[in-house]
Each structure stands twice: as structure tokens, then as C-alpha cells.
Amino acid sequence: PYWYPGCADSVFSTRDKNLNRWFSPKFTREPNDIVAVHIRGKDKPVASYNSYSFLISAAKLIGDVTIFTDDPQLSSKLAEEHNVVISNGSWQEDWVTILNAKAVFCAPSAFIMSMLLIDPNKTIHMMSEKYCDGGFPHFHDDLRFAREAMKHCPNLGVLT
């Protein structure tokens, strides 16, 4: 596992001291009204079509949804069914756009959780084990980190 017990506590207890020393972002924060849904597929199929469909439905209760993905085949079907748009940015552009989104809905993902280093108050709604039914076995590590990080990140939640 790449997340070990105590890792989130270590990261967030030293975040303020070390963030600017070791990590200097080269972008500006420009908040937007996007409700981001991050869909993992291809190399890490964390959730099924039905679980992502649930996630999009939940996200639509907050606002206009944009899907961010590495799996255009899965996402195009979901986008058509739910009448939402798919980002066509690079992964770097998507990361910054998602960071600036008003809320994020996702399966457990280090890509999304890395945003908490920049903004521990980021609103993130993450799938619980119940929805991680895509066959990728290592989502437990990301979920373990997320649950531990919830002590430090007040707007990080797990959807049950």
C-alpha cells in the first residue's frame, strides 16, 4: 500500500510548515461554479457504470456537472445518459479546474486527494466501499487515507 496508517496525520500536521518550502504551485486560484465528477477507468476501474451514475445524480443536486476522466468510452455513455459535459483538457488543466471547482464527487483517488494539500477545506464527496465495485482492489488504501484526512479536512466526506 502507498498510504500507511498515520500518513494523513503526518501530512496534515506538517502541511503549513512544509507546503511553501517544498511545493510552490505555478497557477492561480480562480474559483468556478463547476461541480466536478472525477471518473477513473482504464488502468484503475474503481467503480462500475451504475456507481458512477449514482455519483453524477448526487452531484447534479448541487449544480452543473462536468466530468473529468481518463476513460472517454465510459464517460461518454454517462454524459449522454445524464446530459452533462466532459472536460477536454489535459490532466494538468483538469487538476487545476477541479481544484477550483465548488465541489468534487469521486471514487477514492490520490489525484483528487492531492488537492487537499493546497486546500484542506476543499469540498470533496468520495464514494464509500459500497460504490467501489469496479474491480480495482487497491481503492481501500485511498479510502483509508481519506478517512484519516477527514480529521484535518472538514469538507471531505464519504458517501454511504
Side-chain angles (χ1 to χ4, degrees):
Y2 51 89
W3 299 120
Y4 58 88
C7 183
D9 286 331
S10 295
V11 166
F12 288 102
S13 67
T14 61
R15 177 191 168 274
D16 291 337
K17 176 182 169 191
N18 291 320
L19 182 64
N20 292 326
R21 180 177 174 199
W22 298 108
F23 184 70
S24 181
K26 304 280 190 248
F27 57 84
T28 57
R29 294 296 306 271
E30 297 174 10
N32 61 54
D33 288 330
I34 291 172
V35 177
V37 173
H38 180 245
I39 294 178
R40 285 303 304 259
K42 289 186 172 182
D43 66 328
K44 293 182 180 178
V46 176
S48 68
Y49 182 93
N50 289 338
S51 290
Y52 280 123
S53 186
F54 158 79
L55 199 64
I56 292 169
S57 295
K60 287 180 77 172
L61 296 174
I62 294 177
D64 293 332
V65 169
T66 299
I67 293 174
F68 298 85
T69 188
D70 68 342
D71 190 337
Q73 185 176 3
L74 172 62
S75 296
S76 63
K77 292 176 189 174
L78 287 161
E80 185 177 334
E81 178 183 330
H82 290 277
N83 195 30
V84 299
V85 298
I86 300 174
S87 169
N88 60 0
S90 68
W91 71 265
Q92 297 96 332
E93 292 165 331
D94 284 354
W95 191 90
V96 173
T97 303
I98 295 169
L99 175 68
N100 288 320
K102 75 175 174 180
V104 181
F105 288 75
C106 62
S109 163
F111 180 76
I112 298 299
M113 289 187 296
S114 68
M115 296 172 193
L116 294 169
L117 293 173
I118 304 297
D119 183 1
N121 293 307
K122 180 92 194 122
T123 300
I124 298 175
H125 305 278
M126 192 170 292
M127 291 178 173
S128 68
E129 292 90 339
K130 175 180 175 180
Y131 299 103
C132 296
D133 56 357
F136 182 70
H138 302 294
F139 72 87
H140 293 285
D141 295 331
D142 290 329
L143 206 47
R144 178 186 308 119
F145 181 91
R147 286 199 165 108
E148 193 175 303
M150 289 169 71
K151 295 181 277 186
H152 309 277
C153 304
N155 298 317
L156 172 60
V158 176
L159 300 168
T160 56

